[in-house]
Amino acid sequence: MRKLLLALMLMIPGPAIAESLVSTVSSPQVLITSSFDGATLSLFGNIEGTAEAPAAGPYNVIVVITGPLQDRVTRLKTNSFGIWSNTDSVDFRHFPSFYAVIASGKLDAIATPELLTQYAIRPEEQARLAAQSQVLKAERFGMELVRLMIEQQHFVVREDSVRFLSPTAYAVNLTLPSDVANGPFLVHTLVFKNQELVAERSEGFSVRKSGFENFVFVASRQQPLLYGLVCVLLALGTGWLAGVAFKR
Amino acid sequence: MQIYLPIAELSMNLFFLIGIGGAVGFLSGLFGVGGGFLLTPLLIFSGVPAPVAVASVTGQVAASSTSGALSYYRRGGIDLHLAMYLILSSTIGAMIGVATFSALRAAGQLDLFISVSYLVLLGFVGTLMMIEAVRTLMRRRAGVVMRDKLPGQHNWMHALPMRIRFKKSRLYISVLPVLAIGVFIGWVGALLGIGGGFILVPALVYLLRVPANVVVGTSLLQVVAMMCVTLVLQAVTSQSVDILLAFCLMLGGTVGAQFGASAGKYLRGDQLRALLALLVLAVAIRFGLTLVLPPSDPFSMAIIAGRLG
């Protein structure tokens, strides 16, 4: 679905692009070890012109980082017969587990509203895309979902947070929370000039467990019965050991 | 010190985990209950995804109950004969419970059912125990001599056929109520993800008249068996047992259970029951309040199982 979206984006005829973008992520792979407590990444880029039309700003940059997609449900509690219970819910399919928008200025000032909608830059647009229906209820639940994701620091919108090292070179810091989902992350960088898109580039990095953490995870998925039996032995062994240690 | 939990996919403070494991383990050793009904909500409140919390606590309860059961066994506080009947019947109950769990989830009413049954079960058991314990305490204060076993106090259950002699418990009763209690505990345990100790202890005391000196140990042994079965079932079906999380909780829990079991020796049976009744009632009230009070945020979100990435 994401690939399809990208393909659609690329087919949309833009203005004659004179600028191009060179960018990189500080680490293409974030490895999770036992002491993992979140990670900070840096994204660097440079806007390049051609010989005839050298790059000349002022440029604005929006970096959109999308984490692995998940199916989520947003539920609403209401009171019936004096008891609060979940009575209504909306499913969101292929919804980002992590979503960060980092911009060099206010989003409204950088790009036209049409471009912001077309590229689904605001988190609310992601909810709209993931909702299974387009009725008013899905809209409302989508807004609440985004609010909850922002509260849990899975969604981030940071305006005025792209550092320009020169008129064409920029750097962005990205912090991943400690409960970040594992999997592929997509970094989509858009360069704007006079509210028009002049260059864009996609790249990625991945977050995955390494060493013992990875071993445990793989074991729990591929050998669940054995994994369960090991858990039982561990529990009985630990209990027995404590019993022996405290024997008087 | 942060430690990354590979199945929960988040990092938590190691000392916090050992600490809450220890605190709950202490209560578990003291009262002969698993403590899952306290630990699971605590973990969920700390940000652990609910399925991982439920599944991993099973491991901690198994460990601390093992350690508690061992210390009762050494004191001769377990009726192995009675425990065997309970374990066999509760395993059957657990299988029925797993099936019920799936049926309720398909009907979409699992959350409400779990909250309401916690409330009803804890409230009912807690109130009964409280009434009984207060009555005993008052009678003792009035100077009436109480014995642990009340001879001659038989109820209709003792008139059922298929009687069996449980030597350690000094009981000669029908096997039918024993099996019925086992099936019920297994069913509720699998359904609510608890060991069922807080139901089993009063059931043994009030329904079967098992003497106080073997109630807690026998209940702990039953909880160990129940939790081991559930642990394997969880690992295979939901794959959400976090072995590191469980181990951190076990470290605290087993040590706590030892201290709890020692502390239990300094309290009388009726005092223990009154304290357990207070604890059970407190949790019941907490569940009741979440059902009745307006939630701080009416909206909530959850990942639908079968996550990608």
Side-chain angles (χ1 to χ4, degrees):
Chain A
M1 146 124 181
R2 183 152 297 274
K3 277 201 181 114
L4 187 76
L5 212 67
L6 272 178
L8 278 175
M9 285 174 185
L10 295 177
M11 283 191 314
I12 297 160
I17 290 175
E19 285 90 349
S20 63
L21 181 63
V22 187
S23 61
T24 185
V25 183
S26 62
S27 41
Q29 208 165 58
V30 178
L31 290 180
I32 293 179
T33 57
S34 58
S35 57
F36 180 79
D37 189 22
T40 304
L41 293 171
S42 298
L43 315 166
F44 302 99
N46 191 37
I47 302 147
E48 308 203 318
T50 54
E52 301 89 57
Y59 291 110
N60 273 309
V61 172
I62 300 178
V63 185
V64 179
I65 299 104
T66 312
L69 305 181
Q70 296 169 332
D71 294 347
R72 272 186 193 263
V73 56
T74 306
R75 299 194 178 101
L76 172 64
K77 275 198 168 77
T78 54
N79 195 331
S80 44
F81 309 109
I83 286 177
W84 287 87
S85 61
N86 291 319
T87 46
D88 208 353
S89 70
V90 173
D91 287 1
F92 295 87
R93 297 181 68 79
H94 307 298
F95 187 69
S97 57
F98 178 84
Y99 190 75
V101 180
I102 305 172
S104 59
K106 298 275 174 271
L107 288 179
D108 294 328
I110 292 176
T112 59
E114 292 76 32
L115 277 174
L116 289 177
T117 313
Q118 184 187 331
Y119 285 87
I121 286 172
R122 289 185 195 281
E124 290 76 16
E125 298 290 341
Q126 294 292 321
R128 197 165 295 152
L129 286 176
Q132 292 304 288
S133 62
Q134 300 303 321
V135 293
L136 214 59
K137 187 176 102 176
E139 184 96 345
R140 173 168 171 239
F141 277 64
M143 300 286 277
E144 297 293 339
L145 176 59
V146 168
R147 176 181 62 79
L148 290 167
M149 292 298 274
I150 289 176
E151 277 174 13
Q152 297 197 358
Q153 298 178 355
H154 292 306
F155 275 30
V156 186
V157 178
R158 278 172 28 212
E159 294 172 320
D160 300 314
S161 292
V162 174
R163 246 176 329 124
F164 271 98
L165 311 167
S166 78
T168 60
Y170 67 87
V172 172
N173 278 332
L174 171 70
T175 307
L176 300 175
S178 72
D179 55 350
V180 68
N182 290 210
F185 281 66
L186 186 83
V187 181
H188 189 206
T189 310
L190 303 122
V191 181
F192 294 88
K193 185 180 178 181
N194 301 326
Q195 291 207 323
E196 291 299 326
L197 183 70
V198 293
E200 62 175 313
R201 190 180 144 85
S202 291
E203 60 217 295
F205 63 91
S206 70
V207 174
R208 65 177 193 87
K209 302 179 190 77
S210 74
F212 179 68
E213 279 62 34
N214 189 45
F215 171 74
V216 168
F217 184 80
V218 170
S220 76
R221 293 298 181 272
Q222 292 181 352
Q223 298 287 342
L225 182 63
L226 199 63
Y227 179 87
L229 292 175
V230 169
C231 288
V232 166
L233 283 182
L234 183 71
L236 294 178
T238 313
W240 175 77
L241 208 64
V244 170
F246 279 80
K247 194 173 181 177
R248 269 172 280 231
Chain B
M1 200 180 100
Q2 298 294 113
I3 180 165
Y4 189 80
L5 309 170
I7 309 296
E9 297 194 329
L10 52 84
S11 68
M12 287 190 87
N13 190 306
L14 180 62
F15 302 112
F16 170 74
L17 291 178
I18 294 180
I20 58 170
V24 174
F26 181 84
L27 297 174
S28 144
L30 188 59
F31 299 123
V33 296
F37 72 102
L38 291 170
L39 197 49
T40 308
L42 264 176
L43 284 179
I44 294 173
F45 186 73
S46 317
V48 177
V52 179
V54 170
S56 307
V57 161
T58 313
Q60 126 81 16
V61 174
S64 65
S65 307
T66 302
S67 136
L70 263 180
S71 76
Y72 276 97
Y73 180 69
R74 280 198 294 267
R75 284 196 258 144
I78 295 183
D79 186 334
L80 286 175
H81 193 195
L82 178 62
M84 192 190 74
Y85 278 95
L86 286 171
I87 289 169
L88 284 179
S89 52
S90 66
T91 308
I92 296 165
M95 286 169 189
I96 305 171
V98 169
T100 318
F101 190 88
S102 316
L104 280 170
R105 186 157 57 187
Q109 291 303 329
L110 191 64
D111 286 356
L112 182 66
F113 179 83
I114 285 181
S115 297
V116 172
S117 22
Y118 256 115
L119 178 66
V120 170
L121 216 56
L122 292 170
F124 182 69
V125 171
T127 311
L128 274 187
M129 290 173 72
M130 200 67 204
I131 291 171
E132 197 277 342
V134 167
R135 197 179 287 160
T136 318
L137 284 173
M138 281 167 66
R139 237 183 273 163
R140 188 186 292 273
R141 185 157 300 169
V144 180
V145 179
M146 296 290 293
R147 274 163 295 182
D148 272 339
K149 184 165 147 61
L150 308 170
Q153 276 211 359
H154 282 202
N155 51 26
W156 59 269
M157 284 191 184
H158 294 77
L160 291 170
M162 293 172 72
R163 304 182 90 187
I164 288 189
R165 192 173 295 282
F166 296 103
K167 284 204 195 85
K168 196 111 198 185
S169 303
R170 287 175 281 149
L171 284 177
Y172 181 52
I173 50 166
S174 161
V175 75
L176 294 178
V178 177
L179 295 181
I181 289 173
V183 169
F184 181 71
I185 299 290
W187 181 73
V188 169
L191 208 51
L192 301 185
I194 54 178
F198 72 93
I199 316 168
L200 186 55
V201 168
L204 292 182
V205 171
Y206 303 123
L207 298 181
L208 300 185
R209 309 269 177 215
V210 175
N213 61 332
V214 292
V215 161
V216 173
T218 308
S219 157
L220 276 174
L221 186 61
Q222 140 76 20
V223 170
V224 170
M226 179 77 201
M227 288 292 98
C228 288
V229 172
T230 316
L231 192 56
V232 173
L233 280 179
Q234 290 277 18
V236 173
T237 55
S238 72
Q239 304 195 334
S240 51
V241 180
D242 195 311
I243 197 167
L244 273 188
L245 173 59
F247 187 61
C248 294
L249 297 171
M250 279 176 207
L251 282 182
T254 48
V255 175
Q258 290 296 322
F259 282 109
S262 321
K265 281 183 283 192
Y266 302 106
L267 288 169
R268 286 196 317 265
D270 51 345
Q271 292 173 328
L272 272 180
R273 292 202 291 275
L275 286 174
L276 179 57
L278 272 183
L279 189 70
V280 167
L281 277 180
V283 178
I285 289 169
R286 198 204 77 97
F287 267 98
L289 288 181
T290 57
L291 281 178
V292 174
L293 289 184
S296 60
D297 189 342
F299 284 94
S300 63
M301 63 172 177
I303 297 172
I304 303 174
R307 61 168 71 175
L308 301 164

